[in-house]
């Protein structure tokens, strides 16, 4: 299936860029007139995915994070967040609620659970030493006129 519209941006894994990524996703999707709750859901999921890159992918360095957004027929949105960081050795374990590789006093281990609760589908693929790819999928409701 070919995307009707798409955008791709790359930025450094700095905390300040989490808000940039969330805002960029919202701005790109605004033309599709999503509902306010749907837009909030998408912004939250993007925020979690990007924060994971910032905190976990590059624990001791700054590296590239790529955000790609594509809109397909029937208002299907796919947002992909990728990094070239340390990767996740066990994706299934990492997706368990409360699991974190970060400081448990600072991290709740709920990032993937939050993404799953706000999106229709979340797919994570990772290779240790090569990076991680998170694909967030959501179908936007038709707005009534």
């Amino acid at each position: 299936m070919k995307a009707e519209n798409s955008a791709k941006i790359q930025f450094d894994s700095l905390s300040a860029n989490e808000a940039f990524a969330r805002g960029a996703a919202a701005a790109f999707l605004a033309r599709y007139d999503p509902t306010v709750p749907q837009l909030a859901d998408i912004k939250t999921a993007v925020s979690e995915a990007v924060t994971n890159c910032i905190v976990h992918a590059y624990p001791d360095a700054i590296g590239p994070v790529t955000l790609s957004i594509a809109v397909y027929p029937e208002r299907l949105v796919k947002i992909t967040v990728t990094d070239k960081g340390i990767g996740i050795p066990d994706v299934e374990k990492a997706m368990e609620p409360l699991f974190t590789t970060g400081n448990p006093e600072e991290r709740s281990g709920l990032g993937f659970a939050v993404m799953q609760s706000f999106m229709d589908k979340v797919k994570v693929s990772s290779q240790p030493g090569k990076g991680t790819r998170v694909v967030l999928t959501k179908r936007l409701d038709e707005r009534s006129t």
Side-chain angles (χ1 to χ4, degrees):
M1 182 172 15
K2 187 176 187 310
E4 295 175 346
N5 195 8
S6 64
K8 183 176 185 177
I9 55 174
Q10 182 174 305
F11 48 89
D12 290 337
S13 61
L14 299 169
S15 292
N17 287 335
E18 177 272 327
F20 167 69
R22 187 177 64 234
F28 181 80
L29 293 172
R31 74 174 292 270
Y32 295 94
D33 197 23
T35 65
V36 171
Q38 283 185 314
L39 195 55
D41 290 353
I42 290 168
K43 287 169 59 179
T44 300
V46 167
S47 178
E48 290 294 334
V50 170
T51 297
N52 276 356
C53 295
I54 293 166
V55 173
H56 301 290
Y58 305 106
D60 301 316
I62 303 299
V65 178
T66 303
L67 173 70
S68 302
I69 307 167
V71 180
Y72 295 88
E74 298 182 22
R75 300 171 57 87
L76 180 67
V77 176
K78 286 191 179 185
I79 300 169
T80 305
V81 178
T82 57
D83 65 65
K84 296 178 190 282
I86 64 171
I88 303 170
D90 186 344
V91 171
E92 192 174 316
K93 179 79 173 163
M95 292 185 74
E96 290 178 7
L98 306 179
F99 176 83
T100 184
T101 58
N103 180 342
E105 292 181 13
E106 296 175 7
R107 303 284 159 212
S108 65
L110 293 173
F112 287 125
V114 167
M115 288 180 238
Q116 289 172 318
S117 70
F118 287 114
M119 301 301 286
D120 297 338
K121 183 177 179 186
V122 175
K123 182 179 179 196
V124 180
S125 55
S126 188
Q127 194 172 356
K130 302 223 175 181
T132 301
R133 171 192 205 94
V134 176
V135 181
L136 308 166
T137 305
K138 188 167 194 80
R139 186 172 308 279
L140 299 177
D141 293 335
E142 292 288 338
R143 295 286 292 250
S144 56
T145 54

